[in-house]
Amino acid sequence: MKGHFARARKQSVLLLIRSRILLTYLFLHSDFIHSALKMTGATGSDSTPLLGVSQPISMAKPTEKEVVMSDQFIIIQLDGTLKSFNLYESEEEMETRLEVLRNVNSLVKRWVKEVSLTKMPADECEKVGGKLFTFGSYRLGVHGRGADIDSLCVVPRHIDRSDFFTSFYKMLSEDPNVTDLHAVEDAFVPVIKLYYNKIDMDILFARLALKEVPDDQTLHDDMLLKNLDEKCIRSLNGSRVADQILRLVPKVETFTLTLRAIKLWAQNHGIYSNVLGFLGGVSWAILVARVCQLYPNYAPSKLVNRFFMVFAKWEWPHPVLLKDIDSSPRPDISALHDLVWDPRTRSTDRYHLMPIITPAFPEQNSTFNVTTSTRTILMNEIQEGLEITTDIMEGHCEWKELFEEVNFFSRYKHFLGENHLNIIYCLPSSPSNHHNAIVVVVCSADSEEHHLVWEGMVKSKLRHLIGSLERSVLFILYVLS
């Protein structure tokens, strides 16, 4: 009998080893397999691209029922219960945003030319250019009504950051359309904040090592990062990551609709905040993009369900990648190679709990703020989302149930909350005491500009506070975003 069990155990171990070898082979040779499948016509009769670090789980196309459910999904978002969440702008609001971007882009060009005239001959200033890029939710096509626009001012090499925060700031201050203008020059990512024609905008700055920045300038080339300072690289990262995400999804329209749903769900469940230890917009976008790669032909209604299914079973800290980092060509910029997420060579990367890796060089973990408590909450919410969407797919409930706002006061006894001026920590007086002791940390400064910097610094330290609480108190801390 013992011999029988020993043989069975040995066979199980050998089977597990062979399975892992096969999975490793598929992972390392996914590009070759993709090419072979395309050559043999095994990728299907349509032109659905195969993207990501592995083969799709399913190439099945949506059924008629699923298409109808997606149509109902869209209708619900546009008109009905979810309309109150301001998911979509009116035609007039969209045109206002476009006009704002056109105007600010024109300001950038005029400013670059004016500064250039003080630094170089006039005949060389006609083509210096300058361009305004967008990133974040607006670039991904998932911004809601009243959302801000994240933008990036890209200029040629002879324009300095000091010019951006002096002469460009002055130009903005003289524009009658600009209100609430603030410069945060000392931030981790320096930014000018403003409202232009009542549209909230953040403008970052990046100087390329180029003589001119024409209208058709793109940011795809990794060599553009060569000889740039860290602040410029950070500023460029947002736009480069957004562009890469859109290039790495099979169908952009399907991706954006699915991301809108996941974004609304995360916001209404209080787990949409990178600063507070959950996931920010980029992280949610990468997760949705990965599911789109795994199910390239699925309708949005089914992709939402598969999103929860995939990540309810995901074996963290296995990273989520949209492309194979090792096989991707790398620019010859040795200084930036050290910034690439790699737990094999960087010991600090081994302690990341939910690594979600950005697809643009240098590839980095977008979720280093996640702690044990916030990961537990995220996984609980995702599991609940799976149960709700499964009921929806089976016709037992409606989409609006997925997006109902969570009452965190009844769901969690201990939480950390934040508003515009104060950061409030609600902690238990002791592990055995069910009454909450509230600790209020007030972020105050002598000016709004200083307050923006100070508040940003305090927020950046919240994950250390949460980590300390996790190590010293036996409870799960809920972070209210």
Side-chain angles (χ1 to χ4, degrees):
M1 182 66 71
K2 291 182 179 180
H4 173 74
F5 281 123
R7 284 192 300 273
R9 183 177 181 183
K10 184 177 181 180
Q11 290 174 352
S12 299
V13 172
L14 288 173
L15 180 61
L16 179 60
I17 293 173
R18 289 170 182 168
S19 300
R20 289 181 175 176
I21 291 173
L22 177 60
L23 288 172
T24 302
Y25 178 86
L26 291 173
F27 180 83
L28 294 176
H29 299 275
S30 58
D31 290 339
F32 171 78
I33 294 170
H34 285 182
S35 301
L37 287 171
K38 290 177 182 177
M39 291 175 63
T40 59
T43 59
S45 58
D46 62 3
S47 57
T48 302
L50 301 180
L51 302 166
V53 297
S54 65
Q55 288 289 294
I57 294 176
S58 173
M59 292 290 292
K61 294 185 177 181
T63 64
E64 184 176 348
K65 177 183 177 182
E66 290 164 0
V67 172
V68 170
M69 290 188 71
S70 285
D71 290 339
Q72 292 174 348
F73 184 35
I74 296 170
I75 292 170
I76 288 173
Q77 286 186 322
L78 289 172
D79 185 26
T81 305
L82 300 185
K83 190 174 182 180
S84 62
F85 295 122
N86 295 322
L87 286 185
Y88 291 95
E89 292 181 309
S90 65
E91 291 290 336
E92 181 181 355
E93 289 169 325
M94 286 190 288
E95 182 56 37
T96 299
R97 283 183 184 270
L98 291 174
E99 185 63 24
V100 165
L101 290 171
R102 283 192 289 266
N103 290 344
V104 177
N105 189 52
S106 297
L107 284 175
V108 168
K109 293 179 182 298
R110 180 157 62 90
W111 164 66
V112 170
K113 185 175 180 179
E114 289 180 3
V115 175
S116 300
L117 287 170
T118 65
K119 299 184 178 184
M120 55 199 303
D123 60 335
E124 297 180 14
C125 297
E126 294 301 321
K127 297 182 179 180
V128 289
K131 186 175 180 180
L132 189 73
F133 292 82
T134 59
F135 62 99
S137 61
Y138 185 83
R139 178 68 182 92
L140 294 174
V142 295
H143 63 286
R145 182 174 295 173
D148 66 345
I149 300 178
D150 295 313
S151 63
L152 169 67
C153 172
V154 176
V155 300
R157 62 194 180 196
H158 58 275
I159 307 295
D160 299 321
R161 182 175 290 105
S162 60
D163 297 321
F164 178 71
F165 284 103
T166 54
S167 56
F168 185 62
Y169 183 90
K170 183 175 184 295
M171 180 179 288
L172 289 171
S173 67
E174 295 171 350
D175 191 313
N177 295 302
V178 174
T179 57
D180 296 331
L181 180 64
H182 302 289
V184 192
E185 192 170 357
D186 297 327
F188 186 70
V189 181
V191 60
I192 290 179
K193 294 176 172 287
L194 69 146
Y195 281 82
Y196 194 99
N197 198 11
K198 300 181 180 179
I199 299 294
D200 189 5
M201 289 190 71
D202 287 353
I203 307 179
L204 309 185
F205 171 87
R207 178 180 64 173
L208 301 182
L210 301 175
K211 186 177 180 180
E212 56 188 47
V213 177
D215 289 339
D216 60 354
Q217 179 69 51
T218 66
L219 304 176
H220 302 163
D221 187 359
D222 293 336
M223 289 305 294
L224 290 173
L225 303 179
K226 191 170 185 178
N227 298 324
L228 300 188
D229 60 44
E230 288 189 14
K231 290 184 177 180
C232 282
I233 292 173
R234 292 190 206 111
S235 297
L236 288 165
N237 189 54
S239 185
R240 284 168 48 81
V241 167
D243 287 347
Q244 278 283 1
I245 291 173
L246 292 175
R247 283 199 295 272
L248 289 169
V249 294
K251 299 176 181 178
V252 173
E253 289 185 5
T254 300
F255 162 75
T256 55
L257 180 56
T258 307
L259 180 56
R260 277 187 181 275
I262 297 302
K263 179 180 177 180
L264 178 62
W265 164 81
Q267 288 173 333
N268 286 352
H269 283 244
I271 53 175
Y272 192 90
S273 173
N274 180 58
V275 171
L276 297 180
F278 293 117
L279 308 187
V282 170
S283 301
W284 290 114
I286 293 172
L287 294 185
V288 172
R290 184 65 186 122
V291 174
C292 290
Q293 290 179 340
L294 294 173
Y295 302 94
N297 290 320
Y298 273 22
S301 59
K302 199 168 184 179
L303 279 173
V304 174
N305 173 254
R306 288 300 185 269
F307 173 90
F308 293 111
M309 181 178 294
V310 168
F311 293 111
K313 301 178 183 299
W314 195 266
E315 295 183 357
W316 302 105
H318 186 76
V320 176
L321 300 162
L322 295 184
K323 65 178 185 179
D324 188 355
I325 297 178
D326 291 332
S327 66
S328 300
R330 293 282 175 79
D332 185 19
I333 312 177
S334 57
L336 297 185
H337 288 179
D338 294 336
L339 300 178
V340 175
W341 184 85
D342 190 347
R344 296 168 299 185
T345 58
R346 291 164 52 97
S347 59
T348 55
D349 291 347
R350 299 169 193 165
Y351 298 98
H352 293 170
L353 301 178
M354 293 183 71
I356 300 173
I357 311 305
T358 57
F361 176 82
E363 297 87 350
Q364 297 176 307
N365 179 22
S366 63
T367 57
F368 60 87
N369 278 348
V370 171
T371 69
T372 302
S373 291
T374 55
R375 183 180 64 174
T376 299
I377 294 164
L378 282 164
M379 296 311 298
N380 290 341
E381 296 291 347
I382 289 173
Q383 181 61 43
E384 182 184 273
L386 174 60
E387 295 169 1
I388 294 174
T389 53
T390 300
D391 287 342
I392 292 171
M393 301 304 292
E394 294 174 355
H396 300 318
C397 65
E398 299 179 354
W399 282 110
K400 63 181 181 180
E401 296 189 28
L402 178 65
F403 305 114
E404 290 178 351
E405 292 191 59
V406 168
N407 186 340
F408 58 88
F409 290 109
S410 60
R411 179 170 291 197
Y412 300 99
K413 292 181 178 178
H414 317 297
F415 63 90
L416 181 154
E418 168 215 352
N419 61 28
H420 294 298
L421 295 176
N422 304 329
I423 297 178
I424 305 172
Y425 309 104
C426 298
L427 314 175
S429 54
S430 70
S432 60
N433 190 344
H434 296 295
H435 298 288
N436 290 334
I438 300 178
V439 180
V440 179
V441 177
V442 179
C443 299
S444 59
D446 57 4
S447 68
E448 190 161 358
E449 287 81 1
H450 290 165
H451 181 267
L452 287 170
V453 177
W454 175 234
E455 183 184 28
M457 193 281 289
V458 172
K459 287 182 177 180
S460 70
K461 304 298 181 183
L462 293 183
R463 64 190 179 99
H464 301 296
L465 169 66
I466 298 169
S468 298
L469 291 169
E470 289 173 345
R471 290 187 294 271
S472 60
V473 184
L474 299 176
F475 72 93
I476 296 297
L477 177 69
Y478 178 70
V479 184
L480 169 63
S481 61

